[in-house]
Amino acid sequence: MSRSAHPAGPRHADVLPEGHYSAPADDLNALDPKVWAHTVGRDADGVVTVGGIAVTQLAEEYGTPAYILDEADFRDRARAWRTAFGNDADVFYAGKAFLSRAVVRWLHEEGLNLDVCSAGELATALSAGMPAERIAFHGNNKSPEEIERAVRAGVGRIVIDSFQEIVRVAHIAQSLGRRQPVQIRITVGVEAHTHEFIATAHEDQKFGIPLAGGQAAEAVRRALQLDGLEVIGIHSHIGSQIFDMSGFEVAAHRVVGLLKDIRDEHGVELPEIDLGGGLGIAYTSADDPREPHEIAKALTEIVTRECESARLRTPRISVEPGRAIVGPTAFTLYEVGTVKPLDGLRTYVSVDGGMSDNIRTALYDAEYSVALVSRTSDAEPMLVRVVGKHCESGDIVVKDAFLPGDLAPGDLVAVAATGAYCRSMASNYNHALRPPVVAVRDGAARVIVRRETEDDLLRLDVG
Ligand code: LLP
């Protein structure tokens, strides 16, 4: 998924096994700012600090594994997106990447809106005070109960994903005496260059209504006739962890084309378009993500240009970044348990978590950066595979990386850029207790999601 896949030169071992890894960095103690949260650095003793606190102190106080989230970095990134798009556009943070009440409050304070895709995410958002009109409700199979909760709450938009849902939302809204603002999610037929499981705009998949064959136009036709619905726009999300802006350009072109057809057929100019999320982040030094201001400029320009040539008023644009905001702001802190060199192959480093706190490596072949963080080391780099403690050989956290050759049990290592889709996709496999999320800022740390306990597990097991 990451684009770093250069075979290493045999600089630090006689023969290196096959794999996808870059040559070891010249200085394994260095922490690439592209990959690590903004306030990450090393103190005079070589211990990594974040938000002004040493990871050794965090490990002692909160235990490992733990997700450590840099609040200042989160706020900076959220604000950068908000500022880049300005007041004529909206930024909906995609809560599926990571959602907690603290995060909802930060987003609210920084002027962002929120995309939720389940009743659970909606409940979290509302309980932390996000105004309902700033919430978008997503999902390809929202239950009638979920739709009713969203309508009753007064969410700013429901993003409709199927023909059945047009009728369902209209019926529920009407029976509650409401007219629900909706966007229609379409698939524009773009092949996003990312992992198959997280590409969403090609037609052969479960999300959206295809533009092809006039289906999206037919969906709009039906929705416009229903009193319970106020059709405010068209939605397109082309996939995730995307670096190439051309997919967004094609999507914008096709969405505007549909707006034009709608204007020609119905005499209605829909006021909004949403271009979804999906912007890539740097998991390794080889990744080069775009800055929010470049993305905003590119998207705004293309939509404006397309609308001018179609003689349409430029609609209000919205976007839904999740990973690009929270991804780089957190790392997972682990303690090394065992170090097992396999002659001629690599060294297996077992940490005290694994696929239960980061399923992305096993699921998407995701690449990550890992560093020794409790001290520095001048030892020669060794090729490692960082694995978890689960009963499965696919339990890999970082497939191929270099760590100092003197790595030993008790050392702390951190895996960078685990803020998105790690805690939110965490599981209790092997009855693992899901790790806490600890937010750090200005020398203070606080738990925003606590570690699970055995009592939590047993409470669900009602015998
Ligand atoms: N909007 C919609 C409608 C989405 O479906 C998604 C992600 C986003 C926005 C946010 O995308 P982001 O900016 O975070 O890439 N579990 C996978 C990613 C699945 C993304 C699902 N939808 C992963 O770990 O890579």
Side-chain angles (χ1 to χ4, degrees), residues 94 96 115 185 198 237 240 278 320 322-323 360 364 421 425:
K96 67 208 82 183
D115 144 8
R185 177 166 174 178
I198 52 176
H237 171 76
S240 227
E320 297 171 337
R323 186 192 321 263
R360 298 192 67 260
Y364 313 118
Y421 303 107
M425 293 173 80

Side-chain angles (χ1 to χ4, degrees), residues 41 107 112 208 215 223 227 231 233 244 267 323 328 331 348 366 377 427 429:
L107 292 164
L112 276 76
Q215 292 191 66
D227 291 337
V231 183
D244 180 0
R323 186 192 321 263
F331 58 79
Y348 278 77
S377 165
S427 77
Y429 183 43

Side-chain angles (χ1 to χ4, degrees), residues 120-140:
E121 288 183 2
L122 179 63
T124 305
L126 293 173
S127 79
M130 180 59 85
E133 64 274 14
R134 282 171 52 185
I135 298 176
F137 196 79
H138 270 278
N140 67 301

